Every structure is written in C-alpha cells, then in structure tokens.
Amino acid sequence: MSEISPEVPDNRQDAPSHVDPNSTRITKPGVKRLVLTLSVLFSLVLGFPFLWKSVEIYRSSLPFGEISEMESNPSLSFPCRFQAVFINFNSNPSPNHLQLSILDKITELTSNSSQCGACANDLALSVTVDSISSCTQTHPTDNSNYYRCGAISAVDFDFSNDDDDGVDELLESVLGVKNVYSVVVVNGGGEGIRAVVGKYRHAWIVGSVEEEEEESVLVSRVAEIFVKMFVNGGTENGLIHGEFMPVGADRRIVLSFNLLNAEPNDWVYDWDFQRVDETLLAPIIKVLGPIANISVESQVLYHTPKSSFSYWDEKWKSYIFSTKDLPFFVNSNEWHLDTSIAAGGRSKILQFVVYVPSAKECPLSLLLPTGEISKTNGFISPMWGGVVVWNPPGCLNSETNHPSRHTMSREDLQAVFEVFMGQFRQLFGLKSNNLYIGASGTYHLLPSGKGFTEWELDVLSRQFACFNLHSCATTLGSLSRLVQSLPRMIIMDEIGKLVQFSLEAAKLAQSNASLGDNESSAGQARSLAEDAFFHPSIMSISYYSFEHCFAIYSPFFLPVSMHVLLAALREWKRYKQEKAKYTAWKAKVKVES
Amino acid sequence: MMVRCKMYNSFGFKSLAAMLLFFILSISISFNYRHMANTLSLYRTVKRLGIPDERIILMLVDDMACNARNKYPAQVFNNENHKLNLYGDNVEVDYHGYEVNAENFLRVLTGRHKAAVPRSKRLLSDEGSHILLYMTGHGGDEFLKFQDSEELQSHDLADAVKQMKEKPCVSYHKTRFKELLIMVDTCQAATLFSQLHSPGVLAIGSSMKGENSYSHHLDSDVGVSVVDRFTFYTLAFFEKLNMYDNASLSSLFTSYNPTLLMSTAYYRTDLYQRKLEEVPVTNFFGSVMETIHTDLAYRTTRSRKTSETKMPLQQSVEHDERRQLINSNVQDQTSDTKIEDKQCPFTRRWNAFQDKLEKIERIDSLVNYGLIIMFPLLLISTWLSL
C-alpha cells in the first residue's frame, strides 16, 4: 500500500503573489561562489611578487660610486726624500741656507712637469755640512735614515777619477737606505767639477770649490741630479709615453730570443743561449721582478731572408741598408717568431732577433741619416721588440761553398747581448748613454751589471704603478658604464668580487705609495680590473631582453589570469545584483509591515 | 648571370702596430663559393703586403675546398682562368665550421674569451693598432647573416666597437684599436655600419640601402660564381701595389665605379679624423712597423770582468724555479682566502663537510651502500605500517 504523504500545506499562498524574481529575491544571496573566485584571484595576485622575484636578472651589485670616485682621481703621490752632504768645505756654509737654495732650484725645475711620480706634494730635503772641524745638519722630521756625521771623510775619495765603482760601493755601505736619495759633494781634487751618478741611490760631485759663486753652481747641479735623474729617470718628460707600456695585462712579459739564419746554405750559426740565460739574463729578470713577471724563450730559425733590399757600398766595404728600409726589414711572412706556447692570452711578447745575413749580403751595415754607420747595427719597434744584424766574422773573404756550422763565440754573444740590453732599456724608455748632458753640466752615469740601476728601477716602478692605477681606474669606469647601459645583463658574483678586490688593491696602492713603500698592488689592481672587464660572461648579445621574458611567460599566465579575472568580475557583479534584489525585497517587506 | 644576395658571411680584421687581419666566412650551402673566394683573395693580398699570420684572424666556414660538389678538390679559385689557387699553401684558418658564429665574432672584437683560448684566436691589438675588418656574406637592412641560423645586427656591431674604444678623454684610455677600417661586401652593406658612433672608425660598404651587391662572373667549369664585384675591384686595385707604395685610401675609395659595381659603394668618414688623402692604404692593408734606431749598447765594465768559470749555484736554483710552468690564477687564490674569512659558522661547517666528502676516496661505494640500505628500511617501514 503506498502511503500517501499528508498534504503539505501550501505555504506559498502566504507569500505575496506579486514577487518579481528579476528584481527581488527572498533569501540572502550566497557568497560561496564569490568567495571561491575571489580566493583564486587573490592567490594569483599574492603569487605575483614571487614570480617577479624569481625571473629577476641576477646582478651582483657593483660599487658605482666608489668606481667613479676612483676614476676621477687615480693619482699616486710618492714622497721624495733627498739628502745632500757637503764634505770638506772649509768656508762652512750654513746648511739651512743651502737647503733653501736647493729647494728653490728643485721647485723651479719641477714646476712645468705635472706627471705622475713627480715630487709635487711631499718633498723633504736634509743637508749636512761635514768638515774636519765641525758638522752641522738641518733637522729633518725623521732622522733615522739620514747621514751620520763623520761617516765619510775626504780621504775616502779617490781624486784620480779611476775607481768610480769603488767609490760607489763605499758610499753604498755608508748611505744605503731604501727611500732616500743622496748627493755627496766633496771639495778637493783637481780642477773643475766632476759629477758621477752611481748604481744605487746616490751620486757624488767632486771638485775644488773655494769661491762663493761656485757654491750656486754646485747647488744647481745638486738640484739637477735630484730632479732629472732620480725623479725623471734621465729623460725630459718622464719615461714612457703613456700608451706604450711593454707589460701585459697579467703583468707578464715573455722575452723571445730568436737567432735567424737567412741562408743556411752559406753558413749556419748556433748560440749557447743557456749560458747567456744563466749569467746575463737571470740577474736582470730578478731585478725586474716587482715590475713584471718575465719569462724567457729562445729559438733558432733557418731560411729567413729579410724583405728589404741592400746595396754594395765601396766606401764602407759592406752592404748598406738605410733607416728608410727599417720598417720593411722584418719579413713577417717568413719569420715565424710568435710561436710561444708559454705566453698566455694577455701576456706581452717582446721579440729580440739576431739576424745573420747570407753570403750575398755580408757584411750588412745600417747607414744612419747622418751619413755614419751605426755602431749597434740594430733597431727597435716599440711594443714589438728589437733586431740586431750580426755579421759573421771574416765573411767578406770567406770562400766556403758548403754549409758550415758554427757557434757564436762568447765575445760576439756578449756584444750582441749588450746591444739587446740597450734595446730592452730603450723599449722601457731608458737611454743607455753613459754621459748625461744637463743644463748645468755633464754627469757620468755608472752602468749596472743587472741591466738597470736601482734609481732607474725606482723610476720604472713608480711610472708603472701610475700607469697601472690609471689603467685600472679607466677599466673599472668603462665596466661600470657598460653595466649601467645594459640593465638586463646578468652580472655574476665573480665579477662583483673582482671589482671589489681591484678597488681594494687600488686603495692599498695609493696608501702605500704615499708612505713611500712601492710594491705591486697597483699592478694587481689593474690585472683584476681587466679580468673583470674581459670576463667572458659579459656578452651583450645574450642579455635577457624584456620581449624575451614576456614571450616566455605570457602563454602560461595570460589565459589563466584572464579567465580568473573575468570570473571574479562576473561573480562580483552577480552578487551585487542579488544583493540589490534582496535589499529591495526587505525594504518592501518593511514598508508593508 | 647575377646572383642576388650572398649567402655567406666573411669577415676580416687586421690591425697594426701590431697589424691584425681578421676574416670571417660562414658558409653552409653551396652557391656560396664566391664568399670563400672573396675572403681568401683578400687574405692573400694582405699577406703579400706584409701582414703575418699571427696578426690575422680568419673566420671561415671552410667547407668548399673539400666539398664533394667541388670539381677541383682542395682548390679554390677567384677567377675563371683558374690562374691562382687561393687555397694553395699557407692558409691558416683560425675559426672553422661551427665556431663561426655571432658570439665568437663579438668575443674576438671585445676580447672576452675564456682563459683557455690560445693566442692565435685572439685579437692581440693594443692602443696603437690599426684594424681592418672585412666582412662578406649575405646581409640586409641592418643585419648580417651567420651560417643561415643567426644574425648580427648593426647595433650589436656598434656596441662591440664602442666597447673596444671608450671616448679618449683621459690619456690612459682603454682602447683596443687606434683606427678601424670596416669593409662590408653584402647586400645593403652600408646599413650595417649605420649605428656606429665611436671615433677613429672608417667604414665602406659595397651597396647602399635598397641595393644589392652582385657577383662578378660565373665560372662555368666550377659551376658557380667565383668572386663578387666589390671584392674583385678591390683586388684589382691592390694587384698594382707592393709594400713600398703609398697609395692613399681616398684613391682606393674613389676607384670604385658604380656602373661596374652595379651598386653604389658608400663610405662614411664622419667618425674619422684624418684626411683620406693622407692615409696610405698600407696603414690598414700592409705591415709597416714603426722603428727607432738603437744608438748605444748597454755596456758594463763589470760584465767584461766576469770570469767565465763562475757557475753560480744560487742562480741555477732560481733558474729552475723560473722554468716551472707558472699557474697564473692569482685572483682565484686571493678570492678564496678572502671568502673564508667572511662566512658565517654554518656555511663554514658546511664547506668543511663538503671538503671532507670530496676527500673520501671511495665515495662511489659509499653511495652504493647507502642506496642498498634504503630497501630494507623501506621494507621495515611498510611492514610496520600494515
């Protein structure tokens, strides 16, 4: 039997019959759908910052402010400490008076040179007058390194002008301090004034001086030694033209020595390079250690003719090539010089070539524009190296037809290496003249067995430090400008660290220089800056452009977010509508009741 | 028969003071024989005028000489009379095949190589160098095609050149060249250097915007065109020269006849300070070294007295030290030591743990043991949860 459910009373009859479902509704509108869509939209919006952060270009922060500060002022100021000792002056001039006049002269000589390394700011001079009866000194601020009275006397000086080396050693044992340059002026000996600059950091002037006006001559000579020698290195404008520093970016130089046999069918020459390397080159390399890391290679090449022409000259009895042929001498097609394996990508290679001419062109001599024959038979090309033409002995008269093997004799090799030394110094900007003719007189310069005297090394290291610091500053400046111009380029941490270390090394170099301690921080700063600038990851073609980013992410997020947004808007609109309907009904009910 | 746009790229660089010459060529299909011939002919000319191989960077896709379709294997000609085999002897190609791409090209220009790249693949120029950059291939409005898959745009080239030379406001400025000559032999070549604005740059292109560059003649024996017009007339100009000549750049630039080229050879000199009449072509195309005579040798009296029998022991020790291969990674060492000081304890301990791990010799067996132990653990936990 099926049950018949009792009739449900029809409540709807109680409800007002004029309800319009389009404009009113009885129940409160539900919020579930609205909450659902809004929560989805919210989570999308909430996740957006995370997305943004995750696609951010990683750029290690570079200290742009510090870099531009360094670039505007990349200068090194070296302190200059001088002392002058006057010995055996019976007229007993006052040291303070001498000090003032020497200082005047020095300022006069340095007034027109504003290059790095000149004693612009920090100059101290101490003068001592030491005679048998008395000894007076000006008082320098730190007198630990300066001359002690009575250390040198006039009898130590050999007035016969023979033993310059002995005097040099003696003075070095008395005066030898690292940062102080000294000039010893001795009254005595024969006529005239003779000035010698030693191998270390001192010079001496010997002469018999009695009158007053000759004192001013001495003062000007002392000042000239200080400025022209010890500060400027024996040249007018400082050593090297700023652009051409023959040191690689990684502070390495490779010296490549090549012996070229132009025509092996005539004769073949070999050389005992090992011995030369050990005895002649090793001290030079050691002494240049603070400036550059030098390595040496050598090779012997055959069938290497030169590419310029020469002609026979009866007057000189040799084949002549002139200075106009020099640019075409190096036959790059047949001289395979740059075959170094040890040289890294950023080292500098200097080529030194000994050219042995063929029998058809032997002896080969270089004719200078002045009409004389060159004594060295060699030339350099800046930043490339040097060439020496060496004629085998007796080649004019030799009648050999078959190839003969010889080894260069010790004396010949020595002579050739002396020319090399001159060329090497020339590449660094130093002259090899033993006599310097200055405004106040001539000076004898003692040559050093190590290739460079200590004061020359000081000048070189100062100039190199200046150049390295400038180079570091401009490199860092270029890097910061490059990085700022490409805002979407990835900058790796390594570059940031290199920049930071480079700046630290540069600051260290600046502070060390002002203390007078010259070491290799500036070189390290430059090398680090170049590593940062030439880092292989800085490739502008592969930076992450905005279009690229948009093209990757929009297919994921655009359709979804569009739908979610539209849904939320629709639900919101619907909710508002229903709410409005409900409020209308409630108002109506209120009115009716 | 004229072929329209070229399909390869060919580049050449050269610089002096260190003169470097640099070519690129990118080939991937045949009918691009002539680009390789273009490049090799200019390479040969420049070598004849004195530039050595170590100063030339040649980027050549280099698949024509030994291509199965080449009727004359291992030979490349630039003239139908076949007088000169360009591929004959002494051709040193620095970048081959897939290495010829836009990235490597820009790396060579800017100098940003990985540390292991040898010197022969680097542009070893300095502040005094004169560089010749010769490009031939297929190009268009503001782009140059590489290997049919990549393009080099004119703003990329301009950016790279800008990075090579900052404005010379201070004396020690960072530059990789003193003067740069860009020669482009493609269609619409002049658009490629339209965005340049670095000083000291001179550029000449074989055609202007909207014009094509055409090949010179067809070699019916080989079956393809063998040389392009612009390059052909450039070579004709240089055949008359030798190393000692000082013909000027303006004579080269004005030697191009638009009727013969069938396009207008356009050059821009607004970035170049010197007058073209005063610049000899050998500045860029030949090798003329700056030389200074050595006046004096550096003689020391002490060296004469050195006794030959002296064999200093301490010097031989230093000598051995010097002969060792020096690993010049200074910055790595400094960075490592500095990093250690600045780490927090956790990171330090983690790094110490990682170092210890690395020092364990038989790490593979340790890992294997760990993996094997996982299975019993899994079994036990499954049994426990049941």
Side-chain angles (χ1 to χ4, degrees):
Chain A
M1 277 260 266
S2 60
E3 282 191 22
I4 302 171
S5 54
E7 268 194 12
V8 177
D10 198 352
N11 286 335
R12 261 180 285 158
Q13 286 182 356
D14 292 336
S17 51
H18 51 277
V19 164
D20 181 8
N22 283 343
S23 57
T24 48
R25 58 175 285 148
I26 306 171
T27 50
K28 253 184 122 170
V31 288
K32 278 192 291 222
R33 280 168 62 163
L34 183 65
V35 165
L36 208 63
T37 48
L38 279 182
S39 64
V40 171
L41 180 66
F42 230 26
S43 60
L44 208 66
V45 166
L46 212 65
F48 183 72
F50 291 102
L51 174 70
W52 185 253
K53 188 86 176 110
S54 70
V55 301
E56 196 183 50
I57 305 288
Y58 182 72
R59 282 166 78 92
S60 165
S61 62
L62 296 182
F64 296 118
E66 279 183 50
I67 294 177
S68 58
E69 194 190 302
M70 162 73 60
E71 204 185 353
S72 59
N73 188 20
S75 61
L76 287 175
S77 60
F78 295 97
C80 293
R81 302 272 174 267
F82 297 138
Q83 69 173 349
V85 181
F86 291 80
I87 298 189
N88 206 19
F89 277 80
N90 297 324
S91 56
N92 266 342
S94 134
N96 289 321
H97 168 67
L98 283 171
Q99 183 189 41
L100 283 172
S101 42
I102 295 179
L103 279 175
D104 277 340
K105 218 51 186 123
I106 289 178
T107 4
E108 190 189 305
L109 285 171
T110 56
S111 58
N112 50 359
S113 69
S114 60
Q115 31 130 356
C116 177
C119 301
N121 306 327
D122 195 358
L123 171 61
L125 170 67
S126 140
V127 177
T128 310
V129 178
D130 191 3
S131 61
I132 308 169
S133 48
S134 67
C135 172
T136 42
Q137 282 183 322
T138 57
H139 292 284
T141 45
D142 48 3
N143 40 7
S144 54
N145 291 334
Y146 289 89
Y147 174 74
R148 282 181 346 270
C149 271
I152 314 174
S153 69
V155 295
D156 296 327
F157 277 82
D158 183 1
F159 294 121
S160 56
N161 296 336
D162 266 355
D163 190 15
D164 280 336
D165 283 328
V167 174
D168 203 22
E169 296 298 325
L170 173 72
L171 284 180
E172 171 65 9
S173 60
V174 170
L175 292 171
V177 257
K178 193 165 181 302
N179 287 333
V180 178
Y181 296 100
S182 324
V183 176
V184 176
V185 187
V186 181
N187 183 12
E191 301 200 351
I193 298 179
R194 182 167 184 270
V196 183
V197 180
K199 299 190 288 293
Y200 301 98
R201 292 184 177 90
H202 51 254
W204 64 93
I205 304 178
V206 176
S208 50
V209 170
E210 291 304 331
E211 284 92 56
E212 268 294 320
E213 62 254 20
E214 294 205 2
E215 189 183 290
S216 65
V217 167
L218 282 179
V219 157
S220 61
R221 292 200 85 164
V222 167
E224 193 170 23
I225 290 181
F226 279 141
V227 174
K228 292 279 186 281
M229 294 291 143
F230 294 145
V231 174
N232 282 350
T235 62
E236 280 311 310
N237 297 324
L239 292 183
I240 311 162
H241 210 11
E243 300 173 348
F244 299 115
M245 285 270 167
V247 179
D250 50 0
R251 284 184 69 238
R252 290 189 62 206
I253 308 180
V254 176
L255 297 180
S256 170
F257 289 89
N258 310 280
L259 176 61
L260 262 47
N261 289 292
E263 186 51 61
N265 288 328
D266 297 331
W267 42 62
V268 171
Y269 274 88
D270 196 0
W271 59 5
D272 185 7
F273 191 79
Q274 184 93 346
R275 214 182 51 84
V276 165
D277 191 15
E278 285 160 6
T279 52
L280 295 175
L281 285 176
I284 299 167
I285 290 171
K286 181 156 170 251
V287 130
L288 282 177
I291 296 175
N293 194 353
I294 302 182
S295 51
V296 174
E297 299 180 338
S298 75
Q299 59 178 347
V300 181
L301 297 178
Y302 307 94
H303 294 287
T304 52
K306 66 181 189 349
S307 46
S308 66
F309 303 108
S310 62
Y311 58 91
W312 171 257
D313 189 309
E314 192 54 42
K315 173 181 158 205
W316 298 106
K317 287 256 181 299
S318 68
Y319 291 88
I320 298 289
F321 66 108
S322 71
T323 47
K324 280 197 280 296
D325 291 320
L326 289 183
F328 309 104
F329 192 90
V330 174
N331 184 1
S332 316
N333 269 324
E334 315 229 10
W335 297 12
H336 295 288
L337 298 174
D338 193 3
T339 51
S340 166
I341 315 168
R346 303 220 304 271
S347 320
K348 182 85 201 141
I349 295 191
L350 290 176
Q351 316 276 0
F352 289 102
V353 171
V354 181
Y355 181 77
V356 181
S358 59
K360 287 196 294 292
E361 281 189 318
C362 184
L364 190 61
S365 308
L366 173 62
L367 185 70
L368 298 172
T370 56
E372 294 169 358
I373 287 283
S374 157
K375 289 194 274 297
T376 57
N377 240 6
F379 62 95
I380 64 156
S381 178
M383 296 295 270
W384 179 84
V387 176
V388 177
V389 176
W390 178 74
N391 298 308
C395 63
L396 205 50
N397 309 322
S398 68
E399 299 273 338
T400 52
N401 294 332
H402 57 87
S404 49
R405 300 197 76 96
H406 308 275
T407 308
M408 284 176 75
S409 70
R410 221 173 261 154
E411 293 79 25
D412 287 330
L413 207 50
Q414 178 93 12
V416 162
F417 270 84
E418 283 172 359
V419 179
F420 273 152
M421 213 42 239
Q423 288 180 333
F424 192 45
R425 287 166 58 96
Q426 207 178 357
L427 286 168
F428 279 101
L430 292 167
K431 296 201 183 48
S432 304
N433 207 340
N434 283 342
L435 208 63
Y436 175 76
I437 304 181
S440 320
T442 52
Y443 303 88
H444 295 261
L445 304 174
L446 290 188
S448 157
K450 295 189 192 146
F452 295 90
T453 58
E454 288 196 10
W455 55 271
E456 282 173 342
L457 285 172
D458 282 349
V459 178
L460 272 181
S461 68
R462 283 199 298 266
Q463 293 276 341
F464 269 73
C466 282
F467 171 75
N468 284 335
L469 197 67
H470 265 98
S471 179
C472 165
T474 46
T475 307
L476 287 178
S478 301
L479 180 66
S480 82
R481 277 187 289 276
L482 172 66
V483 157
Q484 283 173 317
S485 70
L486 294 171
R488 297 191 67 80
M489 183 174 77
I490 299 177
I491 302 174
M492 300 174 56
D493 270 340
E494 199 183 337
I495 299 178
K497 285 206 171 62
L498 286 171
V499 168
Q500 191 188 338
F501 294 151
S502 172
L503 281 172
E504 280 170 14
K507 287 202 186 74
L508 189 66
Q510 280 181 321
S511 62
N512 276 351
S514 55
L515 292 172
D517 184 16
N518 204 2
E519 33 60 67
S520 50
S521 290
Q524 209 175 7
R526 174 188 175 211
S527 162
L528 288 169
E530 300 235 339
D531 282 341
F533 188 77
F534 288 112
H535 197 269
S537 71
I538 304 179
M539 282 303 299
S540 58
I541 201 177
S542 55
Y543 67 79
Y544 197 43
S545 69
F546 175 68
E547 293 90 356
H548 195 189
C549 185
F550 185 74
I552 289 180
Y553 289 105
S554 56
F556 290 123
F557 295 110
L558 265 185
V560 170
S561 55
M562 214 169 59
H563 281 292
V564 168
L565 207 61
L566 280 176
L569 281 175
R570 209 180 48 218
E571 283 308 312
W572 180 251
K573 208 171 93 174
R574 186 205 138 253
Y575 179 73
K576 281 199 98 78
Q577 265 179 350
E578 298 297 318
K579 189 85 195 252
K581 284 188 202 171
Y582 183 62
T583 8
W585 181 75
K586 281 199 87 165
K588 210 190 275 182
V589 161
K590 221 183 214 173
V591 162
E592 281 174 2
S593 64
Chain B
M1 183 172 88
M2 306 303 167
V3 180
R4 282 194 39 179
C5 259
K6 304 163 199 223
M7 284 201 273
Y8 307 152
N9 302 325
S10 193
F11 295 99
F13 278 96
K14 174 191 121 166
S15 83
L16 169 71
M19 288 245 247
L20 283 150
L21 183 59
F22 173 69
F23 287 121
I24 312 181
L25 176 68
S26 93
I27 303 178
S28 52
I29 331 175
S30 61
F31 301 144
N32 293 317
Y33 187 102
R34 63 183 189 284
H35 296 168
M36 188 161 158
N38 283 350
T39 314
L40 286 174
S41 335
L42 204 68
Y43 171 74
R44 206 195 130 262
T45 302
V46 143
K47 277 183 73 165
R48 185 175 64 82
L49 291 174
I51 304 186
D53 267 316
E54 52 254 15
R55 289 187 181 158
I56 300 180
I57 298 182
L58 183 59
M59 290 177 85
L60 206 66
V61 169
D62 202 13
D63 60 353
M64 284 320 295
C66 299
N67 197 315
R69 293 192 248 188
N70 186 0
K71 188 173 161 194
Y72 297 90
Q75 289 169 308
V76 176
F77 305 110
N78 68 347
N79 201 311
E80 58 177 347
N81 56 24
H82 292 194
K83 243 190 339 196
L84 183 60
N85 173 16
L86 297 170
Y87 209 68
D89 48 4
N90 223 356
V91 170
E92 185 188 294
V93 182
D94 298 300
Y95 286 85
H96 277 106
Y98 63 85
E99 289 175 339
V100 180
N101 49 38
E103 184 194 332
N104 278 349
F105 171 67
L106 290 176
R107 280 191 190 281
V108 170
L109 274 185
T110 51
R112 298 207 168 94
H113 298 277
K114 298 209 167 31
V117 170
R119 284 173 71 87
S120 60
K121 283 179 150 173
R122 292 176 189 244
L123 187 67
L124 301 169
S125 61
D126 55 32
E127 300 89 2
S129 302
H130 295 223
I131 302 184
L132 167 69
L133 168 56
Y134 172 78
M135 303 187 247
T136 170
H138 287 285
D141 195 358
E142 310 256 345
F143 73 90
L144 183 70
K145 214 167 80 155
F146 268 86
Q147 296 253 35
D148 280 345
S149 60
E150 274 186 320
E151 280 166 12
L152 178 79
Q153 306 212 316
S154 55
H155 69 253
D156 285 325
L157 180 65
D159 270 343
V161 171
K162 182 165 153 222
Q163 285 175 46
M164 288 170 84
K165 188 164 197 173
E166 284 275 322
K167 287 216 178 58
C169 47
V170 288
S171 55
Y172 302 96
H173 51 265
K174 160 138 237 66
T175 54
R176 281 166 58 78
F177 66 88
K178 188 166 161 206
E179 292 178 6
L180 172 64
L181 170 62
I182 302 180
M183 284 183 99
V184 187
D185 191 2
T186 67
C187 296
Q188 307 191 57
T191 56
L192 191 69
F193 45 80
S194 58
Q195 308 250 3
L196 287 173
H197 43 260
S198 309
V201 177
L202 189 57
I204 177 165
S206 61
S207 52
M208 296 186 65
K209 179 167 167 146
E211 291 179 350
N212 296 327
S213 291
Y214 295 101
S215 67
H216 190 256
H217 62 266
L218 168 71
D219 181 346
S220 43
D221 204 10
V222 175
V224 287
S225 309
V226 287
V227 71
D228 282 321
R229 290 187 170 239
F230 181 73
T231 310
F232 181 81
Y233 291 110
T234 311
L235 295 171
F237 181 87
F238 280 106
E239 285 304 312
K240 298 184 238 136
L241 289 186
N242 65 23
M243 230 173 8
Y244 288 84
D245 280 335
N246 55 0
S248 69
L249 270 183
S250 69
S251 60
L252 169 65
F253 287 177
T254 46
S255 71
Y256 297 115
N257 185 343
T259 336
L260 291 174
L261 281 182
M262 296 176 68
S263 59
T264 321
Y266 170 75
Y267 58 95
R268 68 181 286 194
T269 52
D270 54 322
L271 298 167
Y272 193 65
Q273 277 83 29
R274 291 162 71 187
K275 290 214 194 60
L276 288 183
E277 294 83 23
E278 295 162 10
V279 181
V281 285
T282 45
N283 260 5
F284 291 100
F285 290 87
S287 179
V288 179
M289 294 170 77
E290 182 193 332
T291 52
I292 305 173
H293 171 245
T294 306
D295 300 323
L296 290 159
Y298 191 69
R299 279 176 228 283
T300 62
T301 47
R302 192 189 278 185
S303 58
R304 292 241 173 78
K305 295 181 197 154
T306 309
S307 61
E308 290 96 8
T309 54
K310 181 166 74 170
M311 220 15 189
L313 287 170
Q314 64 272 28
Q315 279 182 356
S316 61
V317 166
E318 288 158 16
H319 165 86
D320 287 332
E321 280 172 19
R322 261 188 306 116
R323 285 279 156 91
Q324 284 167 16
L325 258 169
I326 303 169
N327 184 8
S328 58
N329 279 332
V330 174
Q331 69 271 21
D332 287 343
Q333 293 165 10
T334 46
S335 61
D336 280 343
T337 49
K338 293 214 175 181
I339 285 171
E340 273 178 31
D341 295 333
K342 295 180 184 167
Q343 282 169 350
C344 67
F346 172 73
T347 326
R348 239 186 283 140
R349 262 188 238 126
W350 181 253
N351 284 344
F353 176 65
Q354 277 184 328
D355 288 337
K356 269 207 206 105
L357 271 185
E358 271 165 35
K359 286 189 194 127
I360 299 176
E361 295 274 337
R362 296 168 15 203
I363 191 104
D364 289 328
S365 48
L366 184 70
V367 170
N368 290 340
Y369 284 142
L371 285 174
I372 291 169
I373 288 173
M374 260 172 59
F375 281 109
L377 275 177
L378 201 62
L379 284 171
I380 292 170
S381 55
T382 324
W383 176 70
L384 280 175
S385 65
L386 280 175

